[in-house]
Amino acid sequence: TGSDGICIFSNTDENYQSVSTSSLQPEVYPNPIVDKKKHVPQKIMDMIDGISRKHGLDPTLVKIVAKVESNYNPRALSSKGARGIMQLLPSTARRFGVANAFDPRQNIEGGVKYLKFLNEMFPENLSFVLAAYNAGENAVKKYRGIPPFLETQNYVQKIIQLYNQESPQPYSERFNADIVSYRDSVGRVVYSNLKSTFY
């Protein structure tokens, strides 16, 4: 079982190593929805609720991503150029039709569309969705799991921990544990429940 709560079944070490974050020390994070140090305008929370539901995503998850990304700051600008509440890079903003990444509604819409896109790319695997949101979907494909970047591993762990605190049904219980098999590049048959790692 990884530190993200996922129970992993596999007959190879590679699959476990590609997604396990067990080497990370568990951390305790503050409640992401009620932050006593910063009042989040109700208008922002309502936007997240409405846009998330429109695209079929859990508003609680989107709020946690927004909290971790920018602390709900519409003017946030990272050293890498990510902007706004959902911290969209200019290229990501363009992909999802965001003309002004500092406009809260456009930014949230773009971030939610990106999360939905990633959720369709990596179904039933929130860890991969979050890793892709942080490091890009190509990095997740390249490493066939969570990339070996400490920032990304901590990001995934943090959001899943917060999501489990806020959601009535822990993420690990929602994980689909059906066993699948595939033949790897050297001809070995691999069995695992990590079906979203296979391309």
Side-chain angles (χ1 to χ4, degrees):
T1 302
S3 60
D4 51 12
I6 292 178
C7 187
I8 300 165
F9 301 90
S10 180
N11 67 326
T12 68
D13 290 338
E14 289 88 344
N15 282 330
Y16 176 75
Q17 291 169 356
S18 72
V19 300
S20 172
T21 56
S22 59
S23 62
L24 301 175
Q25 294 298 315
E27 300 178 59
V28 177
Y29 299 96
N31 184 316
I33 306 303
V34 180
D35 186 344
K36 295 179 180 178
K37 296 181 181 179
K38 177 177 174 61
H39 173 71
V40 181
Q42 189 61 44
K43 185 177 180 181
I44 297 290
M45 303 301 266
D46 290 343
M47 278 186 204
I48 293 175
D49 284 335
I51 293 169
S52 299
R53 290 194 175 96
K54 181 175 79 171
H55 292 286
L57 294 186
D58 182 356
T60 300
L61 175 63
V62 178
K63 287 175 184 176
I64 291 167
V65 171
K67 168 67 179 175
V68 171
E69 288 286 350
S70 71
N71 202 25
Y72 305 106
N73 180 2
R75 305 301 301 172
L77 179 63
S78 78
S79 60
K80 297 178 181 178
R83 300 172 181 187
I85 293 171
M86 301 298 289
Q87 285 292 276
L88 302 178
L89 289 169
S91 58
T92 305
R94 286 192 297 273
R95 278 175 70 188
F96 295 96
V98 177
N100 179 3
F102 291 115
D103 176 84
R105 182 171 295 280
Q106 289 186 48
N107 188 282
I108 294 166
E109 184 93 32
V112 168
K113 285 180 178 178
Y114 189 32
L115 284 169
K116 181 178 180 180
F117 169 82
L118 295 172
N119 192 53
E120 291 169 353
M121 178 176 285
F122 306 112
E124 306 290 339
N125 201 323
L126 180 58
S127 294
F128 285 15
V129 169
L130 296 172
Y133 194 89
N134 178 263
E137 63 264 32
N138 290 332
V140 175
K141 288 181 179 181
K142 176 182 177 181
Y143 291 101
R144 299 185 64 143
I146 299 172
F149 312 142
L150 187 59
E151 175 192 334
T152 301
Q153 293 174 345
N154 284 334
Y155 178 88
V156 171
Q157 180 189 25
K158 180 175 183 176
I159 291 182
I160 288 179
Q161 180 181 339
L162 292 171
Y163 193 34
N164 282 340
Q165 291 172 6
E166 292 298 322
S167 177
Q169 183 184 21
Y171 168 65
S172 58
E173 294 179 14
R174 297 194 296 270
F175 185 72
N176 185 342
D178 292 340
I179 303 296
V180 297
S181 67
Y182 75 107
R183 192 172 296 277
D184 68 11
S185 60
V186 297
R188 177 180 52 186
V189 176
V190 178
Y191 299 91
S192 178
N193 65 332
L194 300 174
K195 65 181 181 180
S196 296
T197 66
F198 311 136
Y199 304 104

